[in-house]
PDB file of all heavy atoms in Angstrom:
ATOM      1  N   VAL A 279      17.494   7.035  -5.590  1.00 98.00           N
ATOM      2  CA  VAL A 279      16.685   7.526  -6.697  1.00 98.00           C
ATOM      3  C   VAL A 279      15.472   6.612  -6.821  1.00 98.00           C
ATOM      4  O   VAL A 279      15.560   5.422  -6.490  1.00 98.00           O
ATOM      5  CB  VAL A 279      17.517   7.550  -8.002  1.00 98.00           C
ATOM      6  CG1 VAL A 279      17.921   6.134  -8.425  1.00 98.00           C
ATOM      7  CG2 VAL A 279      16.777   8.225  -9.132  1.00 98.00           C
ATOM      8  N   ILE A 280      14.335   7.172  -7.234  1.00 98.00           N
ATOM      9  CA  ILE A 280      13.187   6.307  -7.552  1.00 98.00           C
ATOM     10  C   ILE A 280      13.452   5.770  -8.951  1.00 98.00           C
ATOM     11  O   ILE A 280      13.331   6.491  -9.942  1.00 98.00           O
ATOM     12  CB  ILE A 280      11.851   7.068  -7.488  1.00 98.00           C
ATOM     13  CG1 ILE A 280      11.595   7.512  -6.037  1.00 98.00           C
ATOM     14  CG2 ILE A 280      10.704   6.176  -7.988  1.00 98.00           C
ATOM     15  CD1 ILE A 280      10.308   8.243  -5.828  1.00 98.00           C
ATOM     16  N   ALA A 281      13.838   4.507  -8.996  1.00 98.00           N
ATOM     17  CA  ALA A 281      14.227   3.923 -10.279  1.00 98.00           C
ATOM     18  C   ALA A 281      13.007   3.497 -11.073  1.00 98.00           C
ATOM     19  O   ALA A 281      12.991   3.587 -12.303  1.00 98.00           O
ATOM     20  CB  ALA A 281      15.155   2.738 -10.043  1.00 98.00           C
ATOM     21  N   GLU A 282      11.975   3.010 -10.364  1.00 98.00           N
ATOM     22  CA  GLU A 282      10.735   2.601 -11.035  1.00 98.00           C
ATOM     23  C   GLU A 282       9.549   2.769 -10.112  1.00 98.00           C
ATOM     24  O   GLU A 282       9.685   2.613  -8.897  1.00 98.00           O
ATOM     25  CB  GLU A 282      10.811   1.136 -11.462  1.00 98.00           C
ATOM     26  CG  GLU A 282      11.687   0.916 -12.661  1.00 98.00           C
ATOM     27  CD  GLU A 282      11.785  -0.544 -13.029  1.00 98.00           C
ATOM     28  OE1 GLU A 282      10.895  -1.020 -13.753  1.00 98.00           O
ATOM     29  OE2 GLU A 282      12.739  -1.185 -12.585  1.00 98.00           O
ATOM     30  N   LEU A 283       8.410   3.046 -10.715  1.00 98.00           N
ATOM     31  CA  LEU A 283       7.180   3.145  -9.938  1.00 98.00           C
ATOM     32  C   LEU A 283       6.052   2.546 -10.775  1.00 98.00           C
ATOM     33  O   LEU A 283       5.801   3.005 -11.880  1.00 98.00           O
ATOM     34  CB  LEU A 283       6.885   4.609  -9.612  1.00 98.00           C
ATOM     35  CG  LEU A 283       5.814   4.867  -8.558  1.00 98.00           C
ATOM     36  CD1 LEU A 283       6.041   6.225  -7.894  1.00 98.00           C
ATOM     37  CD2 LEU A 283       4.416   4.821  -9.133  1.00 98.00           C
ATOM     38  N   ARG A 284       5.463   1.478 -10.278  1.00 97.00           N
ATOM     39  CA  ARG A 284       4.356   0.823 -10.995  1.00 97.00           C
ATOM     40  C   ARG A 284       3.082   1.046 -10.203  1.00 97.00           C
ATOM     41  O   ARG A 284       2.892   0.427  -9.151  1.00 97.00           O
ATOM     42  CB  ARG A 284       4.593  -0.691 -11.090  1.00 97.00           C
ATOM     43  CG  ARG A 284       5.865  -1.087 -11.793  1.00 97.00           C
ATOM     44  CD  ARG A 284       5.641  -1.032 -13.300  1.00 97.00           C
ATOM     45  NE  ARG A 284       6.904  -1.172 -13.987  1.00 97.00           N
ATOM     46  CZ  ARG A 284       7.232  -2.205 -14.750  1.00 97.00           C
ATOM     47  NH1 ARG A 284       6.397  -3.194 -14.901  1.00 97.00           N
ATOM     48  NH2 ARG A 284       8.393  -2.232 -15.353  1.00 97.00           N
ATOM     49  N   ASP A 285       2.228   1.921 -10.691  1.00 97.00           N
ATOM     50  CA  ASP A 285       1.013   2.221  -9.943  1.00 97.00           C
ATOM     51  C   ASP A 285       0.063   1.019  -9.980  1.00 97.00           C
ATOM     52  O   ASP A 285       0.059   0.243 -10.944  1.00 97.00           O
ATOM     53  CB  ASP A 285       0.330   3.454 -10.553  1.00 97.00           C
ATOM     54  CG  ASP A 285      -0.450   4.228  -9.497  1.00 97.00           C
ATOM     55  OD1 ASP A 285      -0.420   3.822  -8.318  1.00 97.00           O
ATOM     56  OD2 ASP A 285      -1.082   5.234  -9.847  1.00 97.00           O
ATOM     57  N   ALA A 286      -0.714   0.875  -8.913  1.00 97.00           N
ATOM     58  CA  ALA A 286      -1.727  -0.195  -8.806  1.00 97.00           C
ATOM     59  C   ALA A 286      -1.134  -1.581  -9.046  1.00 97.00           C
ATOM     60  O   ALA A 286      -1.787  -2.447  -9.622  1.00 97.00           O
ATOM     61  CB  ALA A 286      -2.882   0.077  -9.766  1.00 97.00           C
ATOM     62  N   PHE A 287       0.080  -1.781  -8.632  1.00 98.00           N
ATOM     63  CA  PHE A 287       0.731  -3.101  -8.753  1.00 98.00           C
ATOM     64  C   PHE A 287       0.194  -4.048  -7.679  1.00 98.00           C
ATOM     65  O   PHE A 287       0.022  -5.239  -7.906  1.00 98.00           O
ATOM     66  CB  PHE A 287       2.240  -2.916  -8.552  1.00 98.00           C
ATOM     67  CG  PHE A 287       3.078  -4.125  -8.848  1.00 98.00           C
ATOM     68  CD1 PHE A 287       3.782  -4.230 -10.047  1.00 98.00           C
ATOM     69  CD2 PHE A 287       3.205  -5.164  -7.928  1.00 98.00           C
ATOM     70  CE1 PHE A 287       4.577  -5.335 -10.319  1.00 98.00           C
ATOM     71  CE2 PHE A 287       3.999  -6.274  -8.189  1.00 98.00           C
ATOM     72  CZ  PHE A 287       4.678  -6.357  -9.395  1.00 98.00           C
ATOM     73  N   ASN A 288      -0.037  -3.481  -6.486  1.00 98.00           N
ATOM     74  CA  ASN A 288      -0.408  -4.302  -5.321  1.00 98.00           C
ATOM     75  C   ASN A 288      -1.910  -4.255  -5.069  1.00 98.00           C
ATOM     76  O   ASN A 288      -2.468  -3.188  -4.834  1.00 98.00           O
ATOM     77  CB  ASN A 288       0.315  -3.779  -4.074  1.00 98.00           C
ATOM     78  CG  ASN A 288       1.824  -3.816  -4.212  1.00 98.00           C
ATOM     79  OD1 ASN A 288       2.402  -4.859  -4.525  1.00 98.00           O
ATOM     80  ND2 ASN A 288       2.484  -2.675  -3.995  1.00 98.00           N
ATOM     81  N   ASP A 289      -2.544  -5.419  -5.073  1.00 98.00           N
ATOM     82  CA  ASP A 289      -3.987  -5.539  -4.779  1.00 98.00           C
ATOM     83  C   ASP A 289      -4.154  -6.153  -3.400  1.00 98.00           C
ATOM     84  O   ASP A 289      -3.551  -7.193  -3.114  1.00 98.00           O
ATOM     85  CB  ASP A 289      -4.663  -6.489  -5.777  1.00 98.00           C
ATOM     86  CG  ASP A 289      -4.696  -5.927  -7.178  1.00 98.00           C
ATOM     87  OD1 ASP A 289      -4.443  -4.726  -7.363  1.00 98.00           O
ATOM     88  OD2 ASP A 289      -4.988  -6.715  -8.107  1.00 98.00           O
ATOM     89  N   TYR A 290      -5.015  -5.578  -2.579  1.00 98.00           N
ATOM     90  CA  TYR A 290      -5.183  -6.055  -1.196  1.00 98.00           C
ATOM     91  C   TYR A 290      -6.507  -6.775  -1.000  1.00 98.00           C
ATOM     92  O   TYR A 290      -7.549  -6.312  -1.471  1.00 98.00           O
ATOM     93  CB  TYR A 290      -5.097  -4.864  -0.225  1.00 98.00           C
ATOM     94  CG  TYR A 290      -3.737  -4.196  -0.253  1.00 98.00           C
ATOM     95  CD1 TYR A 290      -3.363  -3.377  -1.321  1.00 98.00           C
ATOM     96  CD2 TYR A 290      -2.813  -4.410   0.757  1.00 98.00           C
ATOM     97  CE1 TYR A 290      -2.114  -2.791  -1.379  1.00 98.00           C
ATOM     98  CE2 TYR A 290      -1.556  -3.817   0.704  1.00 98.00           C
ATOM     99  CZ  TYR A 290      -1.213  -3.016  -0.366  1.00 98.00           C
ATOM    100  OH  TYR A 290       0.030  -2.441  -0.429  1.00 98.00           O
ATOM    101  N   VAL A 291      -6.430  -7.867  -0.270  1.00 98.00           N
ATOM    102  CA  VAL A 291      -7.622  -8.603   0.134  1.00 98.00           C
ATOM    103  C   VAL A 291      -8.283  -7.782   1.245  1.00 98.00           C
ATOM    104  O   VAL A 291      -7.588  -7.266   2.135  1.00 98.00           O
ATOM    105  CB  VAL A 291      -7.217  -9.994   0.685  1.00 98.00           C
ATOM    106  CG1 VAL A 291      -8.425 -10.741   1.235  1.00 98.00           C
ATOM    107  CG2 VAL A 291      -6.504 -10.807  -0.397  1.00 98.00           C
TER     108      VAL A 291
END
Side-chain angles (χ1 to χ4, degrees):
V279 65
I280 295 181
E282 285 178 85
L283 193 155
R284 301 279 170 114
D285 209 2
F287 189 102
N288 300 306
D289 292 346
Y290 297 75
V291 175

